[in-house]
Amino acid sequence: MEGTNRVIFFKKLIEPEERRDLADDDPTSLRGKVATAKLPDEVRLAAEAEIARMEKTDPSVAEYAIALNYVECLLSLPWTEMAPGSFDLDGAARVFASSHAGLGQVQERVLEHLAAHALGASRRFSILVVDDEPIARANLELVLRREGHLVSTAANGQEALRLFDSETFDLIVSDLKMDTMDGQQLLEAVRDRSPETQCIIVTGFATVDSAVRAMRSGAVHYLTKPIDLDDLRTAVTDVLQSRRARYRMRAPLLCFVGPPGVGKTSVGQAIAKAMGRPFVRLSLADMRDEAEVRGHRRTYAGAMPGRIMQALRTVGVRNPVFMLDEMDKMGQDARSDPAMALLELLDPEQNDRFLDRYVDLPFDLSEVMFIATANDTSRLRGPLLDRLEVVPFAGYSEDEKVDIASRFMLPRQLYEHGLTHPRPEVENEALRHIIRDYTDEAGVRGLERELARLCRKLARIHLEAQTALPDSLDVEQVTALLGPARYSHDKAGFGAHVGRATGLVWSEKGGEIIFVEASSMQGTGQLILTGSLGDVLKESARIALSHLRSIPAAFGLQDVAFDRLDIHIHIPAGDVAKDGPSAGVTIAAALVSLLAGRPARADVALSGEISLGGRVLPVSGIREKVLAAARAGARTVILPEANAPDVAHLRATVRHLPDIELVDTVSGALGIVLTPVAGNDRHMPPATTREGRA
Ligand code: ADP
């Protein structure tokens, strides 16, 4: 009875997709499987040792099942299996064009990265063979050419050095004793000229002394004649592998950064398709324990390999495209830091021998193409960030969303819901209506959900009423199906309010619109800040107030008795993380509006850091912020003059944008957002903007 329970318990530890009938796996059958599996020698020996232990153990004892699980695990890992994969640039561009729209720069960056990766991976190494015996030289040349290397030859050191004038070599295989410059002298000369080139010395007159001298001069291997060809191959492979690892080390990993639903995962899948490799994704969100990445030691009851090995087992090859999702959400606790295990995983010097604690044998991860994703790079720690090439995925404009929906997402949803004969269309205006009134996001995930909802409704009508569906759905029909609008496109609002200004902030969900409210009461000159503001934002508020107090007349505030007032600044919207300096100019607008009694236009949204002297300083996330302003129905966006290049790029890539005004001073911004109060506007200096607005 006890034995039966145990088998059930251990059955649970095996992943469902490879759960087999354990009754079949006795030591004899396992031996057969190990004999026929393509395993590296090291792994085969470990599996056989474990099977030998099982043979000496009673099957009802826990150790038996532990060993059984372990051998099963070794057999299930793709030690040698590789997806054949190939890559051509045109093919990759076609994969992107047939699955994505509106990627712009992202597609260019990814294709460049893939091209460099493909070139690096297929690069042949060049070897220079130096020997004064023609037969030895020819033999070495032949052997190394057969291994697929580019081989040049020279009869002595001097001839070899001359070749260095016009070529670069990864490796020299040189005889030691030669007339006109021997191997030792050649080594020293090459060290000066081409320090990256590695050297293997070959000699028929090996002495300890000569070997020591050669190694001191930088030779990495020392072989004696007659050369054992296996030794030569091993030495050459050794050297070239470490060179390949060095190249890889310089090539950073791609890290897709952007709000949710902008296509980071689906671009990863497209890369895998373009490379002919399987795709696997592992979410790092809230992973706190290093053991989750690297596994638990086998001695723990219920131990399992880490998530990396489990993912590779699922995918069945050792060269997949492997997405490490939400790297910025990875946790850490006092005892264990999964980021350390990740660093090792991503380090090409170490990842060809990645050691999972459960597997306990080095696994070669160097052929895996890792891609990281994050919403916000500021949460990534330095050493990890150093390894990553950040590719920003900004949100999509309304036009881009319509394009993505009509070309890709709607046809996919209609197909998945069986609505293919006939296939109803949705007019572009109706799609725009769905985007505006049923979603509020930088990406398109919510849009995809709404399209799925629409398709479910259509499918039901079709089945229930047995009626033909309309050929094309317009705004009215879509509204009838989807029900009342969920979002107001006029979130920014209309009119103008005293003491309330509209601002734009960046958050990891994309750009967001916020409102800064200011009020004052009798008091003692205190500044009260509420709305879960971060430290940087609180400083912005202090800077804004100090600037106004330093030159009150410039803002019409000369009669304000600041020391007898308490000023309260509040930024509602509990779910928006509020920090960063970019609300400075919005706070200044709300304050002047309140204190000078000049209403601030609700449909003008501001973003800009301010200095104590009243300059408006550049901010980041321009595209995200302007798109958020457009979603919220703002008519005008005020941005720092210094962000002019970002704005020019945005104008070149997005057709429908709100008016964008660039300012370099606080008073310039106020001249646009605050409406004049009769008789009071003489205090306001004219706005200076790049557009020449007065
Ligand atoms: P992320 O990983 O950034 O959160 P996803 O890759 O999961 O986003 O994208 C969400 C959905 O939107 C997917 O169905 C994806 O195919 C679709 N999608 C996102 N961007 C695009 C695009 N540029 N073109 C076509 N479809 C897209």
Side-chain angles (χ1 to χ4, degrees):
M1 187 62 199
E2 203 192 330
T4 325
N5 282 340
R6 202 164 277 131
V7 169
I8 292 167
F9 170 63
F10 281 102
K11 250 186 174 174
K12 279 194 190 138
L13 297 184
I14 294 176
E15 293 296 298
E17 72 273 9
E18 50 108 29
R19 189 178 293 164
R20 284 169 256 169
D21 189 356
L22 286 186
D24 286 351
D25 274 340
D26 56 26
T28 319
S29 71
L30 281 180
R31 261 192 204 289
K33 286 180 184 171
V34 169
T36 52
K38 280 193 243 142
L39 299 174
D41 290 345
E42 206 175 358
V43 180
R44 183 184 313 285
L45 290 175
E48 281 167 357
E50 207 65 20
I51 295 171
R53 237 191 305 277
M54 282 172 74
E55 282 163 344
K56 291 191 209 126
T57 312
D58 187 309
S60 64
V61 174
E63 280 70 25
Y64 182 90
I66 291 177
L68 175 66
N69 257 359
Y70 181 60
V71 179
E72 289 258 352
C73 170
L74 292 187
L75 281 168
S76 67
L77 286 172
W79 297 95
T80 52
E81 286 81 0
M82 300 265 275
S86 64
F87 176 77
D88 78 274
L89 214 48
D90 288 345
R94 273 198 302 278
V95 169
F96 279 109
S98 64
S99 57
H100 288 81
L103 284 181
Q105 286 284 315
V106 167
Q107 179 168 334
E108 298 309 307
R109 295 271 299 269
V110 168
L111 287 178
E112 281 160 20
H113 185 91
L114 293 183
H117 181 89
L119 263 189
S122 63
R123 181 179 179 277
R124 290 170 74 194
F125 287 103
S126 59
I127 303 180
L128 175 59
V129 171
V130 192
D131 201 313
D132 53 0
E133 288 174 39
I135 294 182
R137 206 164 58 228
N139 276 343
L140 279 175
E141 184 184 3
L142 186 70
V143 171
L144 293 172
R145 265 189 211 279
R146 277 205 189 130
E147 295 287 301
H149 306 304
L150 299 167
V151 186
S152 304
T153 57
N156 57 52
Q158 245 167 26
E159 214 180 297
L161 270 191
R162 270 200 297 279
L163 287 177
F164 268 85
D165 289 340
S166 55
E167 286 179 63
T168 319
F169 295 100
D170 295 288
L171 172 67
I172 302 180
V173 180
S174 174
D175 191 13
L176 188 60
K177 286 251 183 293
M178 291 177 293
D179 300 335
T180 14
M181 187 181 280
D182 66 14
Q184 181 69 35
Q185 289 165 312
L186 173 65
L187 241 173
E188 280 157 21
V190 166
R191 203 179 47 190
D192 290 342
R193 243 175 228 219
S194 171
E196 292 263 299
T197 305
Q198 307 284 301
C199 194
I200 296 177
I201 287 286
V202 181
T203 181
F205 311 94
T207 63
V208 173
D209 189 39
S210 62
V212 168
R213 267 197 305 132
M215 298 308 256
R216 275 208 185 126
S217 304
V220 281
H221 283 281
Y222 191 84
L223 303 174
T224 49
K225 285 185 178 174
I227 300 179
D228 177 329
L229 287 184
D230 281 341
D231 284 353
L232 176 74
R233 282 194 198 100
T234 313
V236 169
T237 312
D238 229 33
V239 171
L240 297 183
Q241 256 176 9
S242 72
R243 253 179 108 64
R244 210 184 277 280
R246 269 226 290 283
Y247 285 130
R248 266 202 303 260
M249 191 163 62
R250 286 183 204 139
L253 303 174
L254 288 175
C255 178
F256 296 162
V257 178
V262 286
K264 301 183 294 297
T265 310
S266 65
V267 168
Q269 285 164 335
I271 289 178
K273 191 168 171 204
M275 298 179 86
R277 301 184 186 196
F279 177 81
V280 58
R281 174 175 163 271
L282 172 63
S283 173
L284 301 176
D286 296 326
M287 215 182 249
R288 305 195 152 272
D289 193 347
E290 198 190 347
E292 285 193 61
V293 181
R294 216 199 261 285
H296 284 286
R297 281 189 204 294
R298 250 181 304 152
T299 41
Y300 283 102
M304 280 200 283
R307 304 270 292 273
I308 303 290
M309 287 294 134
Q310 290 184 29
L312 287 175
R313 180 158 72 176
T314 315
V315 82
V317 290
R318 68 181 183 87
N319 63 341
V321 172
F322 197 132
M323 181 162 272
L324 297 166
D325 216 6
E326 303 193 275
M327 196 177 250
D328 54 335
K329 304 281 185 325
M330 198 165 52
Q332 179 185 8
D333 69 23
R335 287 170 298 117
S336 164
D337 183 0
M340 295 313 291
L342 269 198
L343 268 177
E344 187 183 322
L345 190 77
L346 304 178
D347 177 357
E349 293 239 71
Q350 302 183 54
N351 73 5
D352 58 343
R353 296 185 68 74
F354 177 74
L355 202 59
D356 179 281
R357 293 214 184 94
Y358 178 85
V359 175
D360 206 21
L361 291 165
F363 191 96
D364 184 358
L365 294 175
S366 60
E367 297 297 332
V368 175
M369 178 170 191
F370 287 107
I371 298 174
T373 81
N375 294 135
D376 179 4
T377 42
S378 68
R379 298 226 211 126
L380 290 178
R381 269 172 284 161
L384 263 182
L385 202 54
D386 287 348
R387 288 281 302 123
L388 304 174
E389 179 187 342
V390 170
V391 181
F393 279 58
Y396 298 112
S397 67
E398 199 175 278
D399 290 336
E400 286 165 342
K401 288 181 184 178
V402 170
D403 196 22
I404 292 171
S406 61
R407 282 171 53 203
F408 301 109
M409 292 201 304
L410 183 63
R412 189 163 62 225
Q413 289 299 334
L414 288 170
Y415 179 82
E416 283 173 12
H417 288 81
L419 298 164
T420 46
H421 290 97
R423 194 179 88 171
E425 300 290 327
V426 179
E427 287 175 9
N428 277 0
E429 260 325 292
L431 286 175
R432 210 173 281 280
H433 169 60
I434 299 177
I435 293 163
R436 284 187 187 178
D437 293 351
Y438 296 86
T439 72
D440 181 21
E441 57 181 354
V444 287
R445 195 170 285 165
L447 175 58
E448 191 167 39
R449 261 198 306 272
E450 290 305 315
L451 292 175
R453 199 155 73 85
L454 186 72
C455 290
R456 282 198 299 275
K457 304 245 181 222
L458 287 174
R460 184 170 171 193
I461 292 174
H462 189 46
L463 277 185
E464 270 180 3
Q466 294 292 323
T467 49
L469 294 172
D471 291 344
S472 181
L473 298 173
D474 60 17
V475 175
E476 240 173 75
Q477 287 160 314
V478 163
T479 314
L481 288 168
L482 291 183
R486 294 197 176 175
Y487 298 95
S488 147
H489 181 55
D490 306 315
K491 198 164 140 194
F494 301 101
H497 312 273
V498 169
R500 181 178 191 261
T502 307
L504 294 167
V505 291
W506 182 90
S507 84
E508 55 174 56
K509 286 201 236 145
E512 308 255 2
I513 195 158
I514 54 160
F515 300 101
V516 175
E517 298 173 352
S519 75
S520 65
M521 60 220 87
Q522 255 185 0
T524 54
Q526 283 192 56
L527 178 62
I528 305 160
L529 300 163
T530 54
S532 312
L533 313 186
D535 287 344
V536 178
L537 219 155
K538 285 181 185 161
E539 281 178 6
S540 294
R542 293 215 163 81
I543 293 169
L545 187 57
S546 297
H547 175 59
L548 305 185
R549 290 184 68 174
S550 67
I551 43 168
F555 301 100
L557 307 178
Q558 62 277 35
D559 299 329
V560 177
F562 284 97
D563 52 355
R564 274 183 277 133
L565 280 183
D566 282 350
I567 292 173
H568 186 159
I569 293 173
H570 178 60
I571 306 183
D575 60 336
V576 180
K578 282 158 281 184
D579 202 12
S582 69
V585 70
T586 320
I587 295 173
L591 283 174
V592 175
S593 165
L594 169 80
L595 299 170
R598 296 179 56 180
R601 279 175 57 191
D603 61 354
V604 176
L606 302 104
S607 181
E609 179 175 1
I610 58 173
S611 72
L612 266 180
R615 302 210 71 72
V616 177
L617 308 174
V619 291
S620 55
I622 294 296
R623 183 183 162 98
E624 299 294 355
K625 287 173 179 170
V626 177
L627 292 180
R631 284 201 298 277
R635 296 255 175 76
T636 304
V637 178
I638 298 179
L639 293 173
E641 173 80 53
N643 283 112
D646 305 296
V647 172
H649 183 256
L650 186 63
R651 283 194 172 122
T653 50
V654 181
R655 264 192 303 148
H656 296 110
L657 288 174
D659 290 339
I660 301 176
E661 303 282 359
L662 299 172
V663 298
D664 56 8
T665 59
V666 170
S667 42
L670 300 189
I672 301 166
V673 63
L674 299 186
T675 53
V677 166
N680 199 19
D681 53 333
R682 66 181 186 279
H683 298 294
M684 300 302 299
T688 49
T689 72
R690 213 170 65 99
E691 319 284 318
R693 180 184 170 125

